[in-house]
């Protein structure tokens, strides 16, 4: 049952980590060459997605993604009427498994995005290196300076046209049910008027339960995880609480009964 996890770690050790290390070294070359070539650190995102293709495709572990059509409202329309790229947005998801992070990458493919992650994840082998080199945003909620730095980084990434991803529960659910949301990350989207895209991730906990070190159940034999992309939610003219509630309800509404919030679960958390 753990072959899937061993396979992922193999590619992590012999491909992902060395590639990230090489990229990190290249950015230290005098003359700032890599910053000119890759100012928004998209290359590490592509490296990570290739790891996903190598490690997850063979076992059929990619989630089924529904609701692609909902993203079309974010697509820019050029003066000649032709459709352009998607506008940057904040993608918000529930969180009940380690697999949520690579699963979300399926939505972006080789497009650039940055995850808002707990600072503790920097200590995780391979993943920590990827977070650091990829320019992802780390946050220590007990440190006011860290919070301000994360806010400024998130706002700048959105201004630069880079998508953000956050799991506002702040940690993985222990019982698979969605919990309360912390509102901090939403302020980044509000600051630049970016839309919030709700993502409902179902059955990731069946692929890798919260107490498993490795993905133990390949989707070929067990229920496949599903990501439902909801309709983008405008941040314009909404208070923090109004936006948080709208996003929370949208995500909960697309989850299976086994993952919906328990009765009387507060929508917001400090």
């Amino acid at each position: 049952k753990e072959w899937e996890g061993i396979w992922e770690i193999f590619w992590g050790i012999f491909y992902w980590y060395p590639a990230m290390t090489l990229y990190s070294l290249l950015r230290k070359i005098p003359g700032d060459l890599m910053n000119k070539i890759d100012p928004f650190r998209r290359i590490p995102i592509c490296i990570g997605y290739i790891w996903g293709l190598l490690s997850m495709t063979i076992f059929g572990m990619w989630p089924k993604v529904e609701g692609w059509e909902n993203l079309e409202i974010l697509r820019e329309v050029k003066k000649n009427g032709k459709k352009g790229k998607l506008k940057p947005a904040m993608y918000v998801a529930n969180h009940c498994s380690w697999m949520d992070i690579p699963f979300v990458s399926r939505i972006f493919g080789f497009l650039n995005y940055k995850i808002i992650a707990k600072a503790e994840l920097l200590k995780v082998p391979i993943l920590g290196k990827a977070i650091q080199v990829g320019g992802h945003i780390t946050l220590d909620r007990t440190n006011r300076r860290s919070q301000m730095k994360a806010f400024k980084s998130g706002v700048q990434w959105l201004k630069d046209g880079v998508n953000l991803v956050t799991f506002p529960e702040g940690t993985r659910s222990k019982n698979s049910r969605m919990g309360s949301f912390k509102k901090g990350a939403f302020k980044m989207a509000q600051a630049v008027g970016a839309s919030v895209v709700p993502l409902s991730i179902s059955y990731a906990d069946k692929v890798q339960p919260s107490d498993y070190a490795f993905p133990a159940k390949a989707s070929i034999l067990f229920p496949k995880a599903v990501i439902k992309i909801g309709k983008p939610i405008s941040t314009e003219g909404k208070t923090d609480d109004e936006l948080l509630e709208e996003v929370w309800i949208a995500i909960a509404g697309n989850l299976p009964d086994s993952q919906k919030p328990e009765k009387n679960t507060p929508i917001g958390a400090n």
Side-chain angles (χ1 to χ4, degrees), residues 19-45:
M20 289 294 182
T21 301
L22 176 60
Y23 179 85
S24 181
L25 292 173
L26 290 174
R27 289 196 74 91
K28 296 178 182 178
I29 294 177
D32 211 21
L33 178 62
M34 282 303 298
N35 192 48
K36 295 176 182 177
I37 295 174
D38 187 29
F40 304 131
R41 293 181 181 254
R42 183 181 176 185
I43 291 175
I45 303 302

Side-chain angles (χ1 to χ4, degrees), residues 66-75 86 197-198 228-233 254:
E66 301 175 353
W68 288 109
E69 67 280 0
N70 290 328
L71 295 179
E72 287 304 307
I73 195 173
L74 297 177
R75 194 171 296 282
L86 295 175
V197 180
K228 292 186 178 180
I229 304 172
K231 294 181 179 180
I233 296 171
N254 280 325

Side-chain angles (χ1 to χ4, degrees), residues 62-245:
W62 285 118
K64 178 182 179 183
V65 180
E66 301 175 353
W68 288 109
E69 67 280 0
N70 290 328
L71 295 179
E72 287 304 307
I73 195 173
L74 297 177
R75 194 171 296 282
E76 297 175 346
V77 180
K78 300 179 181 179
K79 292 182 179 180
N80 58 10
K82 292 184 178 181
K83 293 183 178 180
K85 61 182 181 180
L86 295 175
K87 299 175 183 177
M90 172 170 281
Y91 292 73
V92 179
N94 59 300
H95 193 23
C96 67
S97 170
W98 276 109
M99 296 304 294
D100 294 330
I101 298 173
F103 280 172
V104 166
S105 72
R106 188 62 163 174
I107 292 174
F108 301 102
F110 292 105
L111 297 178
N112 205 354
Y113 68 94
K114 307 300 175 190
I115 291 176
I116 303 169
K118 295 187 297 183
E120 303 94 275
L121 292 182
L122 290 172
K123 300 176 183 178
V124 178
I126 302 177
L127 178 60
K129 184 74 171 181
I131 290 173
Q132 180 184 25
V133 176
H136 297 284
I137 301 166
T138 55
L139 172 65
D140 179 356
R141 289 191 173 89
T142 65
N143 187 307
R144 181 62 178 170
R145 181 176 294 181
S146 173
Q147 293 174 348
M148 290 303 298
K149 182 180 178 182
F151 174 78
K152 291 178 181 179
S153 296
V155 168
Q156 189 59 54
W157 280 129
L158 287 170
K159 288 181 177 179
D160 290 336
V162 178
N163 298 296
L164 295 182
V165 176
T166 184
F167 301 94
E169 290 164 273
T171 189
R172 287 171 293 155
S173 170
K174 301 302 181 184
N175 61 3
S176 301
R177 293 186 178 277
M178 194 174 82
S180 305
F181 281 2
K182 295 176 173 62
K183 68 179 68 173
F186 292 92
K187 295 179 183 294
M188 300 176 190
Q190 290 174 304
V192 297
S195 295
V196 175
V197 180
L199 303 176
S200 302
I201 306 177
S202 304
Y203 309 121
D205 58 314
K206 305 301 181 186
V207 178
Q208 184 175 358
S210 60
D211 57 343
Y212 274 54
F214 304 121
K217 300 177 180 180
S219 297
I220 293 175
L221 303 175
F222 293 86
K224 182 181 287 289
V226 178
I227 298 180
K228 292 186 178 180
I229 304 172
K231 294 181 179 180
I233 296 171
S234 173
T235 59
E236 299 290 341
K238 294 173 182 174
T239 66
D240 295 351
D241 291 335
E242 289 172 343
L243 178 61
L244 183 145
E245 181 175 359

